[in-house]
Amino acid sequence: MNTLIIYASKTGTTEKCANQINRQLKNSKMVNILEQNEDINRYNLIIIGTPIRMGMIDKKIKKFLISNIEALKSKK
């Protein structure tokens, strides 16, 4: 199963968590949402990591979720 780990990290904590998950999975790729865009259609499983500040998720992650909602509905 191809896995994509998409994350946003301001202080590095979310990135550390994403790295730990990435090390445990085979056929996985980590992508920082701030640095690169990835075609999610190539992946079966999508893991999304985001910091939460004052009850809100990262703006880039929110924008990604909204713009890819239909494609994400068919993913695990």
Side-chain angles (χ1 to χ4, degrees):
M1 181 177 292
N2 291 335
T3 303
L4 178 64
I5 303 167
I6 300 172
Y7 70 94
S9 187
K10 296 193 188 257
T11 63
T13 304
T14 307
E15 183 175 16
K16 287 178 188 177
C17 293
N19 272 319
Q20 288 183 354
I21 294 169
N22 190 42
R23 283 194 295 262
Q24 299 296 319
L25 298 174
K26 296 178 183 175
N27 298 325
S28 63
K29 179 177 181 178
M30 263 180 51
V31 173
N32 184 334
I33 195 77
L34 302 175
E35 296 174 0
Q36 145 182 19
N37 254 342
E38 188 70 25
D39 180 18
I40 63 171
N41 294 315
R42 299 183 343 185
Y43 299 92
N44 306 98
L45 174 65
I46 310 284
I47 299 172
I48 301 170
T50 180
I52 298 176
R53 294 187 185 239
M54 297 188 299
M56 302 295 289
I57 65 172
D58 184 83
K59 289 178 185 177
K60 293 277 188 178
I61 293 290
K62 185 175 182 177
K63 182 179 175 183
F64 168 81
L65 292 171
I66 291 168
S67 63
N68 292 290
I69 189 71
E70 291 304 318
L72 290 169
K73 286 180 182 179
S74 66
K75 307 292 180 184
K76 288 186 177 187

